[in-house]
Each structure stands twice: as C-alpha cells, then as structure tokens.
Amino acid sequence: MKREWLKEKCPNLTDAEIDAIMAENGSDINKAKGDTKKLEDEVKTLKGEKKNLEGQLETANGTIEDLKKANPDVEALQTKIKEHEATIAQKEKEYKAEVTKLAREAINTELIGKYKAKNAKAVMALIDEFEAKDDADYKTLLDSKLKTLSEADDTKFMFGESQTKQTYNPGGGGDPGKEGLGASMAAQRNTTQAPAFDPWATK
C-alpha cells in the first residue's frame, strides 16, 4: 500500500492517521512474509522427507523384487524348508535311538557276564520290557532283574559256570571223540552178558 494512494482515496485522513495505517500495514506485511517463509521452510522439509521416503520405498521394492527372482515360489520354499527341518529332526531321533541301543547292548553284555548266564538270549527273553530314564537307570534296573533271576529256584540253573564235557581217551592218540580202551572195558563190565565173558565177574 502506497501513501499517495491512501491519501488520494481518503483525503480526510490526517498525516498522523496515514502514518499509523502505513505502519500497521507494514507490520501485517512483515508478519505475512514471516509466515510465508516459515511455510516455505516446512514445505521444503516435507519435500525432503518425501524424497527420502520415496528412496526407501524404491529400495524396499527392489529388495522384494530380488527376493522374488531368487525365490519365485516363496510358499514352495517355506514348504521345502519345513521338509528339511522334519528330515533333520527324524535323522537326529534315529541317531539318538541307535546310540541308546548300542549303549544298552553293551550294558546287557556286561551284566550277562557278571551273572554268568549260560544262555544270554534265553535269559534276556525272561525279562519283560521296562522303561528307563537313561543308561544309568537302565543298568540299575537290569542288574536287579538279573540278580532276581539268578537267585530264583526256577531260573538259577540258567546261571553259573558252564560245565565242559571232557572226553577221556586212556589209549592215547587217535580221535578223542571215539571210545577208548578203558571206556570200552567199563562198558563191558556193566553189560548183562555171561560171567565167563566178564573180566570183573567173581569166579
């Protein structure tokens, strides 16, 4: 707003009034300029943030596209991963079972030897299946069961040192599986043939 324009339009205004109006108008203009500058700065900031977000979005979209190219079927990939995890879990389970089996077979052998079982298979067949927390617990329980069997009247005959049959061959040499002279004479003594043919018969 110009002073001359104001004076022309409002001739009744004094110079003091015109000065006051001009001052107020100048203040409003400066304030408006300040507000405009502030808005411009805010717009500039928002534009910068928008550009930054657009860059992040572009990067994210690029990453997604790369993933899609590398893994065209994400669902199938997830299924494959689950299958492999299940296979690994099963193999680990089988491995642990095999380790447990071998450890307990060793325990069986040790305790069968301890109680001198004459027929390991027959003795183990008498023991019902039982649950054990671990190998140490299994050994304790099996030891107790074998001890009971080795002391019971109806099963203790299955334990102890095995008796090996010795074949006596007084004639010496030859096949020990064949009957020797002494054994043959002893057999004759126990026969029911006539005394005349029995060298031990009373004459």
Side-chain angles (χ1 to χ4, degrees):
M1 179 185 298
K2 292 184 178 181
R3 185 182 185 86
E4 289 78 10
W5 178 87
L6 182 61
K7 194 171 184 178
E8 181 183 345
K9 295 295 181 181
C10 303
N12 296 324
L13 292 175
T14 64
D15 290 339
E17 290 174 335
I18 291 174
D19 290 339
I21 291 172
M22 292 297 294
E24 185 66 24
N25 183 60
S27 176
D28 289 341
I29 289 172
N30 289 333
K31 185 175 184 296
K33 285 182 179 179
D35 291 342
T36 300
K37 180 69 169 59
K38 182 179 179 182
L39 288 172
E40 287 176 350
D41 291 341
E42 289 178 354
V43 169
K44 188 176 180 180
T45 301
L46 288 172
K47 283 182 178 179
E49 291 178 355
K50 178 175 178 289
K51 187 175 181 179
N52 184 39
L53 289 172
E54 286 175 346
Q56 291 180 22
L57 180 60
E58 185 178 352
T59 301
N61 287 334
T63 302
I64 291 171
E65 289 302 318
D66 290 342
L67 287 172
K68 285 181 178 179
K69 289 177 183 178
N71 307 289
D73 191 342
V74 176
E75 186 175 348
L77 178 64
Q78 291 296 328
T79 301
K80 270 292 185 196
I81 291 173
K82 288 180 181 178
E83 288 176 355
H84 283 303
E85 287 176 344
T87 300
I88 291 170
Q90 180 62 28
K91 291 294 182 184
E92 185 176 359
K93 182 179 178 182
E94 291 174 359
Y95 168 76
K96 288 181 178 179
E98 185 64 21
V99 169
T100 298
K101 178 185 174 185
L102 293 174
R104 295 188 178 181
E105 284 179 354
I107 292 171
N108 293 349
T109 300
E110 177 188 346
L111 294 182
I112 284 292
K114 174 183 176 180
Y115 288 98
K116 299 181 174 62
K118 296 176 182 177
N119 187 319
K121 188 174 181 180
V123 169
M124 292 302 294
L126 296 176
I127 298 176
D128 295 330
E129 289 187 10
F130 57 91
E131 292 293 330
K133 294 179 293 185
D134 50 34
D135 292 340
D137 187 41
Y138 177 85
K139 184 174 183 179
T140 299
L141 294 172
L142 181 60
D143 188 284
S144 176
K145 292 176 182 295
L146 286 172
K147 186 175 186 297
T148 299
L149 288 175
S150 69
E151 294 174 351
D153 290 337
D154 56 345
T155 53
K156 64 183 180 181
F157 70 91
M158 302 177 72
F159 299 84
E161 297 291 347
S162 298
Q163 299 297 321
T164 303
K165 182 178 180 181
Q166 299 291 334
T167 302
Y168 178 60
N169 185 16
D175 185 354
K178 293 182 180 179
E179 188 177 50
L181 177 60
S184 177
M185 292 175 66
Q188 289 180 21
R189 185 172 185 272
N190 294 322
T191 59
T192 56
Q193 58 185 325
F197 296 98
D198 184 359
W200 285 277
T202 304
K203 298 188 178 179

